[in-house]
Amino acid sequence: MTTAKTPRIDGERLLRRLNDLGAIGAIDGGGCARLALTDADKAGRDLVCGWMHELGLSVSIDAIGNAVGIRAGRRSGPPIMAGSHIDTVRTGGRYDGNLGVLAGLEVVAALNDAGVETEHPLAVAFFTNEEGSRFAPDMMGSLVFTGELPLDTALATVGIDGARVGDELARIGYAGDTPVPRPAPRAYVELHIEQGPVLDHENVEIGVVESVQGISWTEIEIGGVSNHAGTTPMSLRCDPGWAAGSIIAFVRDLAREIGGSQVATVGRIEFFPNLINVVPERAVLTVDLRNTDETTLRQAEARLHAHLDTLRAQEKVTITTRRLARFEPVPFAPEMTALIERHAKAQGRSTRRLPSGAGHDAQILAAVCPAAMIFVPSVKGISHNVREFTPPDQLEAGANVLLSVLCELAGADA
């Protein structure tokens, strides 16, 4: 009988996979652009699914394109799952999402290398369109996975470039045949870079994530009268551009006034016809509001809509809104956060409990199973940026915490 060895993360192998995936859709500055369901996303999917097969995982693709690779346990039943996403924003880094997926594969590789069996199956997943940069809402794949978003609604979603989700899934060959929603895993753990400055600033090695703050995305379309920029008196204008600027200033002041965890961002704005010497006929912008408290988030939304009502009356513009995404704050299972904290401290790592300011697939899985997240520091808090960086030793430290947590949850050989 062969005695199993103690499994250990191979940091060089993990980094090599991160760099190989990061080379797909590479952009200047060391980042990458793999918007969901583009050709670059297909190439990334092909690479990661190939690694899953090489590790002996049984891989299935479901109807929204989520990929799940399963390592069998001694008994059948729901797996312990690790994962995240591999799509990026247009100016993304190499770690956001990718770390959670590839660290999950590294856990499998470490178990294989050590000859360790687990009582329960172990799964590694990547979910479709987590970022929501091309198709709203974000976390689309995990929402369909859990049944919170109907498949037909997701497939009919039209992106910023006019493409449909269903058409693009078929085009790149990832319209799978596994039905959704899928059965819930036994538990879900996601390793991720913090994407914020707290751990790096405080020199803490492992973040124990207690919750994910609520998110409200709204698209606002403002209609007015296009006219000559030189001949139209200011007092006689019906200017969507000015109204858009008022909204931008308002949400910044709103976040500062509310304080606490409240943040507000206008991340996209378009003018039509977008000419230097023409008063715009139309402006379209997005507002992203987030807070860890649901009541306060609702108050922020109400105040934004009250400001829009004021603009309609004062500026004689038309204003229509469309909700792009809405998620309430999500607390993680206390027993899961305690488990992560215990394993991190057992490995001699400094820890800090904190909320996540960004949305993640883990918050969606939390509705159907015990879920939690492990954070590692982001240098200077930079993310969604080509300069996003986490040192290799910190990547390895986070992956080793993930390994030990998954081993306990899955019932690994002692």
Side-chain angles (χ1 to χ4, degrees):
M1 179 178 177
T2 302
T3 302
K5 298 181 292 184
T6 300
R8 192 71 183 170
I9 293 298
D10 183 335
E12 291 184 1
R13 183 170 54 193
L14 173 59
L15 186 61
R16 184 166 60 250
R17 284 202 172 113
L18 282 164
N19 289 335
D20 287 349
L21 181 55
I24 297 175
I27 56 178
D28 290 343
C32 49
R34 290 193 306 275
L35 293 183
L37 311 185
T38 57
D39 290 344
D41 186 29
K42 170 183 166 48
R45 287 165 170 268
D46 290 346
L47 180 64
V48 175
C49 287
W51 285 331
M52 287 180 170
H53 285 294
E54 289 174 7
L55 289 168
L57 302 184
S58 174
V59 181
S60 62
I61 310 296
D62 63 33
I64 195 62
N66 299 319
V68 179
I70 295 182
R71 184 181 192 263
R74 284 187 291 267
R75 68 168 75 170
S76 60
I80 302 298
M81 180 179 284
S84 194
H85 63 97
I86 63 170
D87 66 305
T88 75
V89 296
R90 198 179 299 279
T91 55
R94 294 190 169 199
Y95 308 98
D96 176 4
N98 305 317
L99 175 61
V101 178
L102 301 187
L105 293 186
E106 178 54 34
V107 167
V108 172
L111 294 176
N112 289 352
D113 292 345
V116 172
E117 293 185 334
T118 57
E119 189 71 13
H120 303 291
L122 186 63
V124 180
F126 64 80
F127 297 99
T128 296
N129 187 41
E130 189 273 352
E131 292 290 4
S133 294
R134 188 183 182 199
F135 303 101
D138 53 348
M139 283 85 75
M140 178 181 284
S142 50
L143 285 166
V144 175
F145 183 101
T146 61
E148 190 169 339
L149 178 66
L151 174 63
D152 289 347
T153 301
L155 294 178
T157 301
V158 177
I160 58 175
D161 54 1
R164 286 179 68 255
V165 167
D167 295 338
E168 291 296 270
L169 277 169
R171 184 185 67 82
I172 68 170
Y174 277 87
D177 55 10
T178 299
V180 287
R182 292 204 190 199
R186 182 176 294 272
Y188 178 82
V189 186
E190 183 169 348
L191 173 63
H192 210 282
I193 60 170
E194 183 193 354
Q195 299 182 276
V198 175
L199 298 179
D200 185 57
H201 178 71
E202 297 182 3
N203 198 30
V204 174
E205 295 168 298
I206 297 294
V208 181
V209 186
E210 295 184 294
S211 63
V212 177
Q213 66 181 354
I215 300 174
S216 172
W217 283 5
T218 303
E219 181 182 79
I220 302 170
E221 181 170 337
I222 310 164
V225 177
S226 182
N227 217 329
H228 195 292
T231 63
T232 310
M234 299 301 290
S235 61
L236 299 179
R237 296 186 179 199
C238 185
D239 186 353
W242 188 93
S246 173
I247 294 169
I248 294 170
F250 175 81
V251 298
R252 179 180 175 88
D253 291 342
L254 175 67
R256 286 177 163 176
E257 180 182 333
I258 293 174
S261 67
Q262 182 66 52
V263 292
T265 306
V266 172
R268 177 168 63 88
I269 185 166
E270 299 173 279
F271 289 156
F272 303 88
N274 201 32
L275 299 172
I276 190 170
N277 60 347
V278 178
V279 177
E281 180 178 17
R282 185 164 59 99
V284 180
L285 68 157
T286 57
V287 174
D288 177 328
L289 300 174
R290 307 191 190 205
N291 202 296
T292 55
D293 180 74
E294 173 65 14
T295 299
T296 307
L297 182 58
R298 289 184 180 181
Q299 291 172 351
E301 291 174 313
R303 291 180 62 179
L304 170 63
H305 285 279
H307 182 68
L308 299 183
D309 289 339
T310 299
L311 283 176
R312 286 188 187 96
Q314 289 182 350
E315 301 302 317
K316 304 299 189 291
V317 292
T318 63
I319 299 178
T320 58
T321 62
R322 180 167 69 100
R323 175 171 285 183
L324 300 179
R326 182 59 165 86
F327 302 104
E328 293 189 4
V330 174
F332 287 132
E335 68 274 18
M336 293 287 284
T337 55
L339 179 67
I340 290 168
E341 190 170 55
R342 173 164 57 83
H343 279 279
K345 288 182 176 179
Q347 294 180 22
R349 302 297 178 183
S350 56
T351 66
R352 186 192 197 281
R353 293 194 173 213
L354 74 173
S356 171
H360 299 285
D361 293 309
Q363 76 190 78
I364 308 303
L365 271 293
V368 297
C369 70
M373 295 190 73
I374 303 164
F375 274 174
V376 290
S378 296
V379 172
K380 297 182 179 179
I382 294 173
S383 184
H384 283 192
N385 185 309
V386 297
R387 294 185 292 118
E388 173 183 279
F389 183 69
T390 297
D393 63 322
Q394 294 179 346
L395 299 173
E396 185 175 350
N400 270 312
V401 174
L402 177 68
L403 169 63
S404 60
V405 168
L406 293 178
C407 281
E408 177 168 338
L409 290 171
D413 296 332

